[in-house]
Amino acid sequence: MTTDFKPEQLVREGLKKLIPYNPGNYTGLIKLDANENPYDFPAGLMQQVLDTAGPQTFNRYPDAMAEELINELAQWHKVETRQIMVGNGSDELILDLMLAFGAGNRVVIAVPTFSMYGIHATIAGAEIVEAARQDNLELDVDKIISSAEGAGLVVLCSPNNPTGNSSGTDQIVAILENCSCPVVVDQAYVDFGGNDFLNLLAEHRNLIVMRTFSKAYALAGLRIGYLLTHPEIIFYLLKVKQPFNLNGFSQVAALTVLRNRDLFLHRVKKLNEEKIILYNALQKMNGVRVYPSDANFLLFETAIPSMEVYNGLLKKNLLIRNFGDPRLSKYLRVSVGLPDENKYFLQSLQQVIDTLREKKSC
Ligand SMILES: *Cc1c(COP(=O)(O)O)cnc(C)c1O
């Protein structure tokens, strides 16, 4: 190798500044940090997945177009198969959207929101334009529309991660009608609440709705997401899609889950009931401000600095979510867990706050 090999000179500025997404690796903790489905995957269904996956699921390449899965998704959502694309998690679809419509363009992102939009926009070499939400956490529709002038893509999330609130149909329609670029609405949490915007597809050629099996459908580990839009948008996405992006085993698992949807929707109902219990308890807690949520998590603020509360909970074996983004530094986010986990969280949070308060008053 020559001595003048300097990788840093070969990498563009945007990539040099990019901080990779680091979900960390915490074992043995009560995980209330990633909005996963806390219920174990049903054993009977797991057996069904294993029985359905044949030897060829392993030695042959998977169906590149995931035909069977897309057929059943299309029937469920009452759209044409040409309107659906599946991905290795919605994360991959976000990257594909950025590669197709963001690269060399501006991408408007309504913030604060899921950090993967910004990361994938940067990877694709897009210029990010942030349209801040209003103080009440609602979308700033006018700001989004004016920022989208000449942009390649607008990215919204409803219910929004991490704020938990969802957008109104009138807001989304106004954005769709006044932007001449694709508008993504990430609906990863829509099974838990908020408006479902799929019914806007028929009238709006620039709408892209994203969904995932990672939250309500308990398949985060198998990485299955999909989007619904119009064939003319799919046409461009197929150019950047990895041919075998969704592995065969995950295709079988997704089909099995789809055919047993009711079981998962029953659990969603239970999680929503738990969310209300958690919300009411947090609302009563001194020094805590909690925000209403249409998703399976709650955003809250504490009178004591959030990092101290976060670390106090870690010492009690509880992992929740804090945020590196300085605009989110006062917030914490907790996923709705199993009833016992939620009880332990509430009890621990109270203890951590009391202990930290005593320390401060000495
Ligand atoms: C969890 C989450 C997803 C899901 O991503 P996958 O890659 O499908 O697991 C998508 N969008 C948002 C906003 C999320 O919070």
Side-chain angles (χ1 to χ4, degrees):
M1 173 123 35
T2 67
T3 49
D4 55 1
F5 172 61
K6 298 196 175 80
E8 66 275 13
Q9 290 181 351
L10 304 171
V11 171
R12 63 204 145 84
E13 279 313 305
L15 207 55
K16 279 188 198 162
K17 288 197 203 108
L18 179 69
I19 301 166
Y21 187 82
N22 178 10
N25 182 10
Y26 304 88
T27 42
L29 295 178
I30 299 172
K31 264 186 110 284
L32 299 177
D33 67 317
N35 307 336
E36 295 141 321
N37 194 314
Y39 291 99
D40 284 342
F41 194 79
L45 283 197
M46 192 146 88
Q47 193 55 51
Q48 224 171 294
V49 173
L50 295 174
D51 291 345
T52 315
Q56 302 209 336
T57 311
F58 292 80
N59 69 315
R60 297 293 178 185
Y61 283 102
D63 174 0
M65 298 310 288
E67 211 174 303
E68 205 180 353
L69 176 56
I70 287 183
N71 274 336
E72 296 203 14
L73 285 170
Q75 278 174 29
W76 172 25
H77 294 304
K78 302 192 172 59
V79 298
E80 292 177 40
T81 53
R82 305 183 299 147
Q83 293 185 266
I84 301 181
M85 183 168 132
V86 293
N88 186 23
S90 348
D91 283 352
E92 184 191 39
L93 296 172
I94 296 166
L95 178 60
D96 285 349
L97 286 162
M98 296 298 171
L99 289 171
F101 297 101
N105 262 336
R106 273 183 298 128
V107 170
V108 179
I109 304 177
V111 294
T113 192
F114 189 39
S115 60
M116 289 310 297
Y117 311 139
I119 291 174
H120 281 327
T122 302
I123 292 172
E127 183 196 337
I128 298 170
V129 181
E130 295 188 332
R133 284 175 175 263
Q134 305 175 62
D135 289 339
N136 63 4
L137 303 179
E138 292 281 324
L139 290 177
D140 188 334
V141 172
D142 292 339
K143 194 188 290 171
I144 291 168
I145 292 170
S146 61
S147 314
E149 185 113 3
L153 191 68
V154 171
V155 185
L156 313 171
C157 183
S158 176
N160 186 42
N161 180 5
T163 56
N165 60 324
S166 42
S167 305
T169 303
D170 50 332
Q171 296 174 314
I172 300 298
V173 167
I175 293 167
L176 287 167
E177 287 185 348
N178 291 287
C179 292
S180 44
C181 65
V183 175
V184 183
V185 186
D186 184 348
Q187 299 225 269
Y189 299 98
V190 75
D191 303 277
F192 296 96
N195 294 307
D196 179 343
F197 298 119
L198 275 184
N199 58 356
L200 298 179
L201 268 184
E203 299 227 342
H204 299 278
R205 281 168 55 215
N206 56 339
L207 173 62
I208 302 169
V209 172
M210 256 195 326
R211 298 250 196 160
T212 180
F213 282 82
S214 295
K215 308 287 156 58
Y217 299 102
L219 285 177
L222 296 192
R223 319 299 306 121
I224 308 148
Y226 59 104
L227 58 78
L228 306 103
T229 181
H230 285 270
E232 54 190 332
I233 287 180
I234 303 258
F235 177 79
Y236 291 102
L237 290 173
L238 288 177
K239 293 175 189 276
V240 298
K241 172 188 173 295
Q242 296 290 316
F244 302 112
N245 60 337
L246 188 58
N247 74 74
F249 192 83
S250 295
Q251 293 187 29
V252 170
L255 274 165
T256 309
V257 163
L258 262 191
R259 292 167 183 164
N260 294 277
R261 267 203 311 284
D262 290 351
L263 203 156
F264 293 90
L265 295 179
H266 178 70
R267 290 180 171 188
V268 163
K269 203 166 149 252
K270 282 203 188 152
L271 286 168
N272 272 339
E273 287 164 12
E274 275 297 308
K275 172 174 70 185
I276 292 168
I277 297 173
L278 201 53
Y279 177 84
N280 289 337
L282 285 172
Q283 216 179 19
K284 283 196 203 108
M285 213 177 270
N286 251 334
V288 172
R289 176 175 179 200
V290 61
Y291 292 83
S293 167
D294 288 323
N296 65 338
F297 56 80
L298 292 167
L299 186 77
F300 65 98
E301 287 173 50
T302 48
I304 288 161
S306 63
M307 257 329 266
E308 295 178 31
V309 175
Y310 174 84
N311 286 324
L313 289 169
L314 257 191
K315 286 199 196 109
K316 294 181 180 291
N317 240 20
L318 271 164
L319 183 64
I320 63 167
R321 187 75 158 88
N322 63 349
F323 302 98
D325 182 340
R327 286 166 305 193
L328 289 171
S329 62
K330 65 176 178 177
Y331 298 108
L332 294 167
R333 189 193 71 197
V334 63
S335 312
V336 179
L338 299 172
D340 282 349
E341 296 175 328
N342 301 332
K343 260 182 225 141
Y344 179 65
F345 163 73
L346 285 170
Q347 184 193 335
S348 304
L349 179 63
Q350 185 72 68
Q351 283 168 3
V352 167
I353 288 177
D354 290 347
T355 313
L356 287 171
R357 265 220 194 100
E358 273 166 36
K359 257 195 218 149
K360 303 225 168 194
S361 58
C362 311

